[in-house]
Amino acid sequence: MQVNENKEFQPLIVAFCCNWCSYAGADLAGTNRLNYPDNIKIIRVPCSCRVNPMFILRAFQRGADGVILCGCHPGDCHYTSGNYFTRRRMTLLFSMLDFLGIERNRTRVEWVSAAEGAKFAATMNEFTEAVKKLGPNRRLEDLRCRKQ
Amino acid sequence: MQEAMINKAKQLLSEGVVNRVIGWKRGEFAYDITPAVFENAEEIEKSFVYDDFTAANVSKYLVKESKKDGKILAFLKPCDTYSFNQLIKEHRIIRENVYIVGIPGGPKLDAEKIKAKGITGILGVKNENYTLKIDTIYGEETMPFYEAVLDKCASCKSKKHVIYDELIGEDGDTLDSNRFDMVEKLENMTAQERYDFWRSQLSKCIRCNACRNVCPACTCEKCVFDNPDSGIENKAPSDSFEENMFHIIRAFHVAGRCTDCGECSRVCPQNIPLHLLNRKFIKDINTFYGEFQAGEDITSLAPLNEFKQNDCEANIIHERGVE
Amino acid sequence: MQRIGVFVCHCGTNIAATIDVKAVAETLSKEPGVIVSQDYQYMCSESGQNLVKNAIKEHNLTGVVVCSCSPRMHENTFRKAAASAGLNPYLVEIANIREQCSWIHKDIASATEKAIILGKAAVAKVHLNAPLTAGESPVVKRALVIGGGIAGIQTALDIAEAGFDVDIVEKNPTIGGKMAQIDKTFPTLDCAACILTPKMVEASQNEHITIHSFSEISDVKGFVGNFTVTIKKKARFVDETKCTGCGLCTEKCPMKKVPNEFNMGLDNRSAIYIPFAQAVPKVATIDPNYCMMMKTGKCGICSKVCSAGAIDYKQQDQYIEQKYGAIVVATGFNPINLDKYDEFAYNQCPDVVTSLELERLMNAAGPNGGTLLRPSDKTHPHKIVFVQCVGSRCDDSKGKPYCSKICCMYTAKHAMLIREKYPDTEVYVFYIDVRTPGKNFDEFYRRAVEQYNVHYIKGMVGKVTPRSDGKIDVQASDLLANEQLHIDADMVVLAAAIEPDKTARPLATMLTTQMDTNDFFTEAHPKLRPVESATAGIFLSGACQGPKDIPETVAQASAAAAKAIGLLVKNSITCNPCVAHSNELMCNGCSSCEKVCPYGAITYIDKEFKMPDRTVAIRRVASVNPAVCQGCGACTVACPSGAMDLNGFSNSQIIAEVDAICK
Amino acid sequence: METFTYYPGCTLRTKAKILDVYARASAEALGITLEEPADWQCCGGAYTTAKDEIATKLSAIRTLNAAKTAGRPLITVCSACHNVIKQTNYDILHDEEMASKVNNYLKLDEPYCGETTIYHYLEMLRDVIGFDELAKHVTNPLKGKKIAAYYGCLLLRPSKALAMDDPENPTIIENFIRAIGGTPVIYAQRNECCGGYIALEDKAQAQKRSSSVMKSAEDQGAEMIITACPLCMYNLKKNSDSTLPVYYFTEILAEALGIKGDVNE
Amino acid sequence: MNKNLKEQVLRSSGVNVLKCMRCGKCSGTCPSYDEMEYHPHQFVYMVERGDIETLMNSKSIYKCLTCFACVDRCPRNVEPAKVVEAVRLAAVRQQGNNHMNPNQIPEMLDDDMPQQAIVTAFRKYIK
C-alpha cells in the first residue's frame, strides 16, 4: 500500500438527519450553494428519535470516523417530542462512549431547522474539522472492516 | 432464618395459599446455591437452603412462573424486591400469582474471595462476630467476614423491601452507599486510561451470556443479539468492537430499568465489573434528570421514556469531566 | 432475486456540471441486483418518467433508485410513475445527489465519488424495501389564516366563498394590517380605506369567517388535513361580546398620552382605545402598560361610563384549541428599524420620517387630518427630499440584500400627491434605479416626472444634518451632474426597507416550514408552487413570502386560498404508510413504546401464542394503530427487543444504508 | 488595582500633553495603573489600508506585541493611534497573508497573531470601570453643562475594525458625559471629519470641515465640545470660525473627578 | 486601459469593485467631494474600467481625508477609500513622485500643529 504522507486525513462522517427539519436544512444549504465537505454522507430518517444507538455503533464499526445526529430544535419536533427522547438517549450514549474511553467529539447532536441552511453547512464544516483533528477512529472500529 | 422460611413455606402450601415455592437449592458445592422451585413440603424439607451464600435474585424466574396456574411463594431479599417491582411495571410478572415474603438480605458471601485466600474444599461457613469460620475438608479456617462479602453487598443500596405480602424479620431502610466511587474513579481517569481499563476488562468477555441470563432486566422474548433480523445479531465476539458493542447495547437497553442488583458482575465467570457500566448510567441519570431508582415504585416513568424541555444537551458530555 | 433499476438525472447542468452522471450510472450498474442503470437529462420530465416506467415494465423491476434532487422535491413524482407502471410506489428510493451533492461540492471527482456512495446506499436500502399500501386520513373542513391584513382577509374571503369555515387570527386589536394605514394606492390613486374597509366588513359578516383579533398562535400540532392549533386570545380587558364600539370609554379615558401605533407614534391615543374608526372588530382594548386602573388600581372611569358593562379588568388570556385541515400564513411585513442609518438623522430630527409615517401624515384620518405638516413645528414643508433604498439592496451587516420592491412606486405616489395638493412644494427623489415593472407602473412614474415635475436625481444622500433654523441640510451626490448637492429641505422621507414581521420566525418553527435567511417563508417551488410551503397543508399568502405590492398580494392571497380549497374539498387524504409495526413474536409487552408515542397510537392486546410444546401461552403485546401513527420511530428505539420497527425506515434498511456508506 | 499597558503616541508627548496628563491622573484616581512600554514608536498617524504595505504596520505591531508580552490589554487615548492600532490588529486577525508577512519581517520570539485586547480610554471607562462606577467617583459633576461629543471619524470607522460603537448612532461619549454629570448634545456632524491632516496642505478645506462640525454642534445648543483627538482639537480650535470651547475629554474627566487642580500641566 | 495597474490596485486595495451598484452614496457622503476632480464613485468605476493612470495623475488622490465615511456607509461594502489609497500608493511609489518634499513642511507649520498631522502627511504623500 502506498501511503501519501502529505495527504490530509479525510474522515468518513455519517449524518443522520430528520426528514422535517435537518434534512430540509441540508437541502436549503444545497439550494443556497453553501459548501460543506464531501466527507459528510447524509442518511434520512423520519425523526432524530428514529436513530437507534446501534446505528451509530454500526457506523463506527464499519469505518465511520464521526457520526452526527441532526434534528428539529427542541420544542419544534414535527412529531412534537421525538427530539426530546433523542436528547436523553444520545446524552447517555455519548456518556457511555466517553466512559469507555472513546474520543469525545466523534459524536454530536445538533438541532438544525428547515430554515437553517447556513447553520447546517457551518455545523458540518465545523464537525468535519473536529473529526479531522481526532484522526481515524481506532478505538471503536472493527478491524475486519478497515479499508486497505 | 432458613428454619423460619421453611416453616412459612410449608404453612402457605398447606393452607393452599400457594401451590409452589421458589427458593434455593444447594448444588455440588456448599457455596453453589441456585434458585429452585419446590412443589411440596417434602422437597422443601429436603433441600431448601437459605444461607450466607444465597445471593441469587429469584425475581426474574417469576416472569415465567407467575404465568403458570396457581400462586407461587417467593422469598425476596430487599434488593430482589426492586427487580420484582420493575418487572411488574413492565407487565412482565402477574402480581396476583405471586405471594411475596420479604426476608432480610445480605451481606452475602463471595466464594471466590474465600478461595482467593487459599481456602479450598469449603463445606460450610459461620459468621462469629464478623470473623468468618470456614469449615473445610482440611479443617477450620478463619478470615475477616467483610473480606469475603460480595461486591454488590458491600455497596448495598437498600435494606428496605419495596413490595411484599408479609415480612420475616424487620424491614430496613435505604442506605447511603458508596456505590458510585469506582465509577467516579474511572471518570477521573484520562480517556486513554479509561480505554485501556475497559479494553483489559471487556477483552476477557467470552460471551457466555451469564450476565444476560441472570439479569432481571434482560427478559426479552428474543434478545437482539440472537435475532438475525435485528442487524446486530452476534453470538460470539470476534473483535474488540463486538466485545464493546454487546456491553454498550446491553447497558443501554437496561438503562433506566436496571435496579443495580449487581447480579451481572456476580455471575461473570471472567470477573468483569459489568455493574460499573450500569452504574455509570444510573449516576448520569441521577445527575442529569434527578435521582431515580428503578423498581422503587411501579408508576414512575423510566428516565428514557420521559423528558423535560430543559434537559441538558447531549453535547455537554464532550465538555464535562476529564477527557 | 431483486431486479433493480437505477436512474441518474442530469437535472440539466444542475447535477451534470459537477457530477459525472455517466460514471455514476456505470458504477451503480455493477451493484448487486441492479439490472438496468441509465442517465437522462431531466428524469422528472414526462419523457424521463416514461424512461422509468418503460424500464419497470420491460425489465420487470422490483425496485427503483432515482439519483436526482431531494426526495422532498420529487419523491412523489417518481412514486407515482412507478405506481402507474405497476410497481408499488414504496419500492422507489431517491439518492439526493443535487441538494446534498452537486450543489455543495465543486470538485467533479470527489462529488462523483460521493454521488456513487449515495446511490449505493439507496440501492442497498431498496433491496430491503417492502411494498406498502397507504391508508387514508380524514380532512378537517376548516382553514386557519394567520394574519388579518389584506392578504389574510382576501384568502379568508375566498375560502369562505367556497363554503368552508375559516378562522382569521390577527395579533392586533383590528384586522386591516398595513393597508389600513395607507392613504392612497398606486397606480390608480384610489383611497386604500375605500377599497379595504368593505372587505374588512365583509369578512366580519361572513357566516363562514371567525375573526380572532388580538390573538396569537401558541401551538401547532398535527399534519396536513388534521392540524390542532392552540390560539391564544390575549386579554383585551374588554368583553368582545358586550362592547358596542361606541367609543365613549376612549373619550373619557384620562390617560391620553400613549403613542398611537396606528399613526406610527406621530400622535397619542388613550389607554383604552379602538385603533381607528373602521376597525374590525370595532371593540375597545385596554393597554395594561398605560391604564391607570391596571397600574395603580385607581381610576375605573371606562368601566363606569360603559353602559354595556363590557370592561373586565380581570380578564385573562384565553386559549382555544381548534382543528384545521389547512393553514394559510399571511403574516406580512414591517419597515426595518433605522437606528443603524442615522447618517439620515432619523433619530435626531422629527422631520426625517419613513414613508409609512408620511402615509399617516397625509391621511385624512391621520394626526394632522390630512394636511401635510412637519411633525416638529406643524408648518407646511416647502422642500421635501425622498431617499430611496434605505436598507434595501445592501451587502453589509446593516441592511437587507433584496430590493423591497414597493418603494419606487409609493415614492412616486407620494411625490405626485404632494405636488398635486401643494404645488408650491418642491420634491426631490434620490434614486439608484427606478424600478417600475407592473401594469401601468412606469407610466405612473413618468407622470410624476413629466406632469408633476418631481425632481428625480440619480444619486444617493450621504449625510443629513438638521440645523437650528429648522432646515435640514441634505448632502447628496448627483451622479449625472457630477456634483455634490446640498439641499435645504424641510422634510426628509426615507424609503425604509421592508422585512418580514418578527412573529414569522417563531411561527415557522411551530409550523415546521422553511424560511430563507431573511426570514421570508420559502415556497415549495420558486416558480411552480409559489403559494405552498414545503410542508404539506401550509400555504403562503402575501408579503410573508417576499416583498409584494397590493395587487400582487391579493393575487397570491387568492391563489393560496385556491390551494387551500383544493385540499379542503377532499374528504380524506392518502396517509403515510411508513408507520410502525410490532413483531408480536418478539414483543415483551413492556409498554416502553407506548410511553414514548406522542400520538397514543400504541395499545396492548393479550394474544394467544401456540408454544412449541403445543401449549398455549397468552402474552401481552403491542399493537399499532396505523391511522394514528405518524411514523416518527420513537418507539423503535424505546423497544429493547427490537420488536418494534418502522415501515420504510426499518432497522435493516437504515443499517444497510450505514453499511453502504461506510463500505 | 488593575494595570494596563498604555500607549500615549507622539502627539501626547508634545502638543497634546494635556490629553495625556489628565488621562494618567484620572486613571490613577479611578484605581487604574497605566504602564508605558519601554520603547514604543510612533504609530504613523494614519493606517495604510493597502494589503501590500507591510512596513507601515510594523510599529503598531511592536506596541501590540509589547502589551501581549506584558500580558495586559492595551490602552490608547489619541483617536489616530487607536485607529491605526485597532485596524492593524483587525487585519492581523483577518488577513492571514498579511499576518504571516508581518511576522516573517519582525521575527518575534513568538509570532504576533492579534492576541492583544485594545481599549480606547473611553472603552476602558465603559467596559472595564463602567460608567455607573465612574459616576460614583465624580465629586465635581458638570451639572447642566450642555456638552457636545465630537467623535470625528477615527474613533468609529471603519466600524468593522474599530467596533467601538454604532458608527451612525454612537452613545459612548454621550454616556460618558452623563456619567460626569453633564448633558450630552446630539448633533449630526459629530461623526464627520474635521479635515484632519489636510490642514497642513489645504487650510481652506480644514476650515470648511471644522466650521461645519462646530456649526452643527452650536445649532443643537452645545456649550462646549469634547474630543479625544489632538488633530481634531487643532482643527476645531484653530481652523473653525466658531468660538465654542473645545476640550479634551480627559481634561473634563479630571475636572469631574475633582483632581484637575492637583495636576501639573 | 492598463491591465497590470488595475490588477495591482485591486490586489493592493483588496476591493471587489464589481460589487458597486452605482448608487453614489460614497460621493454623497464624502467631505472632500468639492476638492476632488474625480469622486469616490468615479474611483471605483474607473478602476473597474482600468482607467488608473488618469486617477494617478489627478490631485484627487491627495484629497481623501481617510475618514472612512464612504467605507462605512457604502451599502454594498465596496470600501471606496481603500481604492483611493491603492491608487495613491501606485502614484507615490513611482520614483520621484513624492507629493511633498520634507523641506516644504516647516513653512506649513504653526505653533499648535500636532505632530500627528505631519506624520500622517508623510505617510500619505511620500514614499
Side-chain angles (χ1 to χ4, degrees), chain C residues 467-548:
Chain C
R467 294 201 316 237
S468 58
D469 61 4
K471 293 279 182 195
I472 305 166
D473 174 52
V474 177
Q475 177 186 313
S477 59
D478 180 337
L479 294 179
L480 298 180
N482 203 11
E483 64 182 301
Q484 194 177 58
L485 305 175
H486 283 267
I487 298 176
D488 294 338
D490 297 308
M491 273 183 85
V492 175
V493 184
L494 305 177
I498 60 172
E499 65 181 357
D501 192 83
K502 294 271 181 270
T503 57
R505 183 161 276 278
L507 184 64
T509 301
M510 281 191 265
L511 296 168
T512 65
T513 48
Q514 295 188 19
M515 284 190 134
D516 64 19
T517 47
N518 300 311
D519 279 10
F520 285 115
F521 282 88
T522 308
E523 58 282 6
H525 191 286
K527 284 101 195 168
L528 304 177
R529 295 170 69 193
V531 297
E532 294 159 80
S533 80
T535 306
I538 294 175
F539 307 97
L540 309 175
S541 171
C544 68
Q545 180 261 352
K548 274 178 199 66

Side-chain angles (χ1 to χ4, degrees), chain A residues 52-73:
Chain A
N52 198 311
M54 70 191 193
F55 301 160
I56 294 172
L57 296 178
R58 178 74 163 214
F60 284 124
Q61 174 185 25
R62 296 298 162 120
D65 301 297
V67 177
I68 182 164
L69 182 49
C70 299
C72 311
H73 286 265

Side-chain angles (χ1 to χ4, degrees), chain B residues 36-106:
Chain B
V37 176
F38 305 88
E39 294 194 346
N40 53 56
E42 293 73 52
E43 285 178 34
I44 293 175
E45 200 64 62
K46 196 173 125 211
S47 43
F48 186 99
V49 180
Y50 187 75
D51 63 7
D52 287 338
F53 286 118
T54 313
N57 179 350
V58 298
S59 51
K60 182 175 183 174
Y61 295 84
L62 295 166
V63 172
K64 284 226 164 62
E65 287 299 328
S66 76
K67 297 203 173 98
K68 294 181 179 163
D69 289 337
K71 210 164 188 173
I72 185 166
L73 165 63
F75 291 106
L76 298 181
K77 304 191 295 300
C79 49
D80 305 343
T81 61
Y82 286 82
S83 308
F84 184 85
N85 239 4
Q86 180 64 27
L87 286 164
I88 287 177
K89 183 161 140 185
E90 295 173 10
H91 308 276
R92 305 290 284 149
I93 289 177
I94 300 168
R95 172 71 181 90
E96 298 72 44
N97 288 350
V98 187
Y99 190 91
I100 304 162
V101 173
I103 50 168

Side-chain angles (χ1 to χ4, degrees), chain A residues 37-53:
Chain A
D38 54 23
N39 310 61
I40 303 284
K41 309 287 190 300
I42 296 174
I43 294 179
R44 183 165 69 129
V45 286
C47 176
S48 60
C49 71
R50 176 65 189 93
V51 177
N52 198 311

Side-chain angles (χ1 to χ4, degrees), chain E residues 24-107:
Chain E
K25 196 174 182 186
C26 47
S27 289
T29 203
C30 180
S32 281
Y33 188 97
D34 290 340
E35 275 64 43
M36 288 172 141
E37 178 187 6
Y38 297 104
H39 307 116
H41 74 279
Q42 288 172 294
F43 269 82
V44 175
Y45 185 55
M46 288 164 78
V47 168
E48 186 189 327
R49 288 202 318 171
D51 193 1
I52 317 282
E53 274 147 333
T54 314
L55 293 173
M56 284 166 67
N57 293 327
S58 161
K59 292 285 173 241
S60 302
I61 54 177
Y62 302 110
K63 295 297 179 184
C64 171
L65 302 173
T66 334
C67 76
F68 297 114
C70 55
V71 169
D72 252 34
R73 289 175 187 156
C74 173
R76 304 293 308 165
N77 216 356
V78 176
E79 309 186 309
K82 295 190 176 177
V83 176
V84 178
E85 171 157 301
V87 176
R88 181 181 56 71
L89 272 172
V92 294
R93 275 175 185 168
Q94 289 175 342
Q95 214 170 14
N97 225 6
N98 286 344
H99 177 58
M100 199 180 271
N101 186 329
N103 46 33
Q104 287 173 269
I105 299 272
E107 63 191 67

Side-chain angles (χ1 to χ4, degrees), chain A residues 17-36 42 44 112-121 124, chain C residues 68-75 94-104 118 514-515 522 524 534:
Chain A
C17 292
C18 84
N19 183 47
W20 305 99
C21 287
S22 305
Y23 194 87
D27 277 355
L28 186 61
T31 310
N32 292 343
R33 310 297 197 274
L34 303 171
N35 295 13
Y36 56 86
I42 296 174
R44 183 165 69 129
V112 179
S113 82
E116 293 175 326
K119 179 178 176 185
F120 186 86
M124 292 306 148
Chain C
S68 60
C69 54
S70 170
R72 292 173 61 87
M73 191 71 81
H74 276 311
E75 189 171 53
I94 309 286
N96 184 344
I97 61 167
R98 191 177 76 175
E99 282 84 348
Q100 295 177 6
C101 194
S102 72
W103 275 354
I104 43 164
L118 296 177
Q514 295 188 19
M515 284 190 134
T522 308

Side-chain angles (χ1 to χ4, degrees), chain C residues 4-76:
Chain C
I4 295 164
V6 174
F7 303 91
V8 186
C9 180
H10 298 206
C11 195
T13 55
N14 279 303
I15 293 172
T18 325
I19 290 170
D20 180 348
V21 285
K22 300 261 181 230
V24 174
E26 169 67 20
T27 314
L28 292 179
S29 73
K30 301 192 181 95
E31 282 295 286
V34 175
I35 58 160
V36 52
S37 183
Q38 296 175 308
D39 62 281
Y40 188 71
Q41 200 84 33
Y42 290 103
M43 209 55 87
C44 61
S45 67
E46 197 184 337
S47 44
Q49 291 185 49
N50 284 337
L51 189 81
V52 179
K53 290 180 201 171
N54 292 337
I56 292 172
K57 289 178 198 153
E58 189 184 327
H59 299 282
N60 198 16
L61 297 181
T62 60
V64 164
V65 168
V66 186
C67 302
S68 60
C69 54
S70 170
R72 292 173 61 87
M73 191 71 81
H74 276 311
E75 189 171 53
N76 264 333

